[in-house]
Structures are given as C-alpha cells and as structure tokens.
Amino acid sequence: MQFDLSAVETGTMVFVGTLVFALVIALFIMAAAFVALVLVGAARLSWFVAASVLLGLVHGINAGWDRLLHHASTVELPGEFPGELIGQSSPSTGTYPRVVLRDS
C-alpha cells in the first residue's frame, strides 16, 4: 500500500512537522537536564568527599597536637629553667625571676 504525500494538505504537514520538531526539542531539553543533574550530583559528591577528608585531617592534627601537649606537660625537666639545659644562664627580668609556663 502506497501513501501519497501530495494528497495531504499543507496545513496538516506543517502541524505534524511542528509536533515532530517540538518532540525533538523536548528530548534535547530532557537529556540536557539529566546531564546537568548528573554533573551536579557528581560535584556534590566530590565536595562531600573533599570536605570529609579535610575535616578528618584537621581533627587528626588537633588530636595529635593535643596528645603531644599532654605528653609534654608530663615530662619533668632536670633543671629549674630551660636555659640551664643548654648551658646558658637565664637573663634577669628585673626584680622577678623567669617562670616556665606549662600547659595545665
């Protein structure tokens, strides 16, 4: 069975062509929106991973520093002043002697 396009009116062909063109545009917009959602999701995932790694790194550094300070506060120095360990006398600060401040 053959279909003769010359028997179809011009208005009908324009209407069908417009519908096909609208379908093509709609498919293109849907594909672009899907790609945008995928890219936004991937960017959010990478941001979440980077933020988690950096936050873990900062917490690790803080925990290590805290452990180091607590360990250093328990160490007893053999001399009265840190300058005596090196063989230097500590300079005078006037009427008040130098005081070694410790983390409590």
Side-chain angles (χ1 to χ4, degrees):
M1 174 174 162
Q2 292 184 348
F3 184 72
D4 187 15
L5 282 178
S6 62
V8 180
E9 291 184 14
T10 306
T12 305
M13 291 179 67
V14 168
F15 180 73
V16 171
T18 303
L19 287 179
V20 169
F21 187 69
L23 179 67
V24 168
I25 288 177
L27 289 175
F28 176 76
I29 290 174
M30 286 190 321
F34 180 73
V35 168
L37 283 174
V38 168
L39 288 176
V40 167
R44 182 178 171 127
L45 177 66
S46 64
W47 176 256
F48 178 75
V49 168
S52 298
V53 166
L54 287 176
L55 191 63
L57 184 64
V58 167
H59 281 300
I61 290 171
N62 284 341
W65 184 252
D66 190 42
R67 193 171 350 140
L68 179 71
L69 286 181
H70 284 308
H71 175 69
S73 69
T74 61
V75 173
E76 291 295 327
L77 298 175
E80 189 175 341
F81 299 111
E84 293 177 2
L85 294 175
I86 305 172
Q88 300 173 351
S89 62
S90 58
S92 173
T93 57
T95 57
Y96 300 103
R98 287 196 126 182
V99 178
V100 177
L101 297 176
R102 300 188 124 186
D103 184 38
S104 53

